[in-house]
Amino acid sequence: MPLQVSETANGHVWWICSNQWTISAGLSQERAVRGPCTEDGAMIGAGSSDTLREAMLEMWGSLEDMETDVAMAHFIELVNEAQSFPGSIEAKEQRDMELYEQEQMAFEVYGKEDLVVTVKDHVQTIRFNRPTRRNALTLQMYNDIVEALAQAAVNDDIYLTVFTGSGEYYCSGNDLSNFDLANTSLSELVKVARSTLERFVAAFIDHPKPLVAAVNGPAIGIAVTTLALCDLVLASSDATFNTPFTSLGQSPEGCSSYLFPRIMGPAKANDVLLLGYKLTAEAALQYRLASRVMPASAFQRDYRSVLHWMTSLPQQSLQSSRSLIRSYDIDKLHQVNRLECDLLEKCWASQECHQALLEFSQRHKRKLQKRLEMLEGHDSRLVRDREIKLEKELEQHEQAEARLPPPDMAQQLHAGSSNADHAGGLDRITEGHSESSDNPK
């Protein structure tokens, strides 16, 4: 697969000549795109940086012994990681470190390793900070977020709170470690998880100041449903939104069973909540889950400019108007939160849920193992860095999987529940939908 380099007004453009596929990963596009090959070949990158050019050539060269289709697929993955910010992977990591250091210079509220909470210029930033675990939430992180919101509610120097993530992901929802039975029984684990979730969602419902989500990348599960409880959702152009509840043997939370049909309309809400349809950033904007979509290359700058504008507004007017808008639904949202947690408590204690979690974990492990196999025998520095990250992720995943409850353990708890109980909970939640006549068409 020979490589050609051509010059354009915007800098260098590199092309891979192939009979089947084109790979487009120019800096302006932010993400690699795969499709039919054009007469010119396949564009694999754009930019005038010698460092970037060398990095991309090294990446492609390291895959030259693979089958064309396999090499193309893997190159896309490498480019996606390398292009989260303009420049090499090292440049992205340097940018993340600089951002982290800037936050450390701010007045630090809690400063937990997995959750960085800072206050600067009247803005409290809650940053999910587990990039090697896709910023998945542990039970401790749930509690720390509740505490941070409680502190912000009574701090007159804080005008608003913004949520965002470190690295590629915004937040991938629940961490598998939350189902760890090493030091507790299944029944106790389910009770703690239910109490933690209900308290977490209630903190969003009751918070008296504006909540902003700066969705810098993929969001999954609870990270998606709580967006409907925020006042402003600013999405990067490469963000995605996914709620795979049914495939994991679970049910909606975060008041999404009530709010999503009102926001998106019943048809699309069912597609998202029941079938796990993944929304792109533009689709989230179209279906009213996102307030604005911003270019990924300028997301950090653009969302911060919105926060700066919000803090410059008359705060008494902003907060009183915001409170008025939210006041009509507070009691209803607490009711929905309780009903959703009732149903989830039953789901978490079910054999179906445990089996689905185990199957999901095994699928993900096979995926990681396959990626590692693809990298074997290649000495490229970039490929080796990727291999080290995958090995660490696989090790952490296997540790979490080993602590999952076996499906047959749920039988002792599941025997006491009935299908009628489940249906009753769903019926009560559904009643809330009919009470609202303002569902978008």
Side-chain angles (χ1 to χ4, degrees), residues 255-266 288 328-329 332-333 335-336 428-441:
C255 298
S256 58
S257 63
Y258 175 66
L259 291 176
F260 274 28
R262 294 181 63 184
I263 293 170
M264 304 177 188
R288 306 177 189 178
Y328 309 109
D329 283 332
K332 184 66 179 179
L333 291 177
Q335 178 193 8
V336 173
R428 285 180 289 160
I429 294 174
T430 307
E431 288 173 3
H433 296 162
S434 63
E435 293 176 9
S436 174
S437 60
D438 60 350
N439 287 344
K441 304 295 183 182

Side-chain angles (χ1 to χ4, degrees), residues 113-186:
E113 181 180 352
D114 293 340
L115 193 77
V116 180
V117 184
T118 55
V119 177
K120 187 177 182 180
D121 298 331
H122 304 295
V123 174
Q124 174 175 259
T125 299
I126 299 179
R127 179 178 296 276
F128 311 120
N129 193 43
R130 302 181 73 211
T132 60
R133 296 291 293 168
R134 295 178 168 86
N135 295 328
L137 296 175
T138 64
L139 291 177
Q140 185 60 50
M141 290 171 70
Y142 279 104
N143 292 328
D144 290 343
I145 290 170
V146 171
E147 185 179 359
L149 289 177
Q151 291 289 334
V154 296
N155 187 339
D156 292 338
D157 191 53
I158 297 176
Y159 295 170
L160 61 91
T161 292
V162 59
F163 295 89
T164 194
S166 296
E168 181 183 357
Y169 272 66
Y170 173 68
C171 175
S172 60
N174 265 314
D175 192 277
L176 284 178
S177 66
N178 294 340
F179 296 90
D180 186 356
L181 288 176
N183 300 306
T184 187
S185 66
L186 178 59

Side-chain angles (χ1 to χ4, degrees), residues 19-122:
N19 294 326
Q20 295 180 332
W21 299 103
T22 179
I23 296 180
S24 169
L27 293 181
S28 61
Q29 277 120 334
E30 299 301 323
R31 279 290 181 267
V33 180
R34 179 175 172 175
C37 185
T38 65
E39 293 180 359
D40 294 321
M43 187 176 79
I44 66 166
S48 58
S49 165
D50 289 339
T51 302
L52 178 58
R53 183 191 314 116
E54 292 172 3
M56 297 188 76
L57 289 172
E58 183 181 2
M59 276 192 288
W60 182 251
S62 69
L63 306 176
E64 61 184 359
D65 295 331
M66 294 183 182
E67 293 292 331
T68 301
D69 211 35
V70 175
M72 290 282 189
H74 191 63
F75 185 78
I76 288 174
E77 184 177 356
L78 289 174
V79 169
N80 282 346
E81 182 171 340
Q83 298 225 146
S84 295
F85 287 99
S88 64
I89 295 175
E90 288 80 1
K92 176 189 179 302
E93 292 175 345
Q94 179 64 28
R95 185 76 66 87
D96 283 345
M97 181 57 67
E98 291 174 356
L99 183 60
Y100 179 80
E101 289 174 350
Q102 290 173 9
E103 289 178 338
Q104 298 308 300
M105 293 173 63
F107 172 67
E108 193 163 313
V109 182
Y110 297 107
K112 301 289 175 63
E113 181 180 352
D114 293 340
L115 193 77
V116 180
V117 184
T118 55
V119 177
K120 187 177 182 180
D121 298 331
H122 304 295

Side-chain angles (χ1 to χ4, degrees), residues 242-247 267-278:
N242 186 214
T243 54
F245 299 128
T246 306
S247 63
K268 181 50 66 177
N270 288 339
D271 201 8
V272 170
L273 293 175
L274 302 183
L275 304 185
Y277 179 81
K278 183 187 293 186

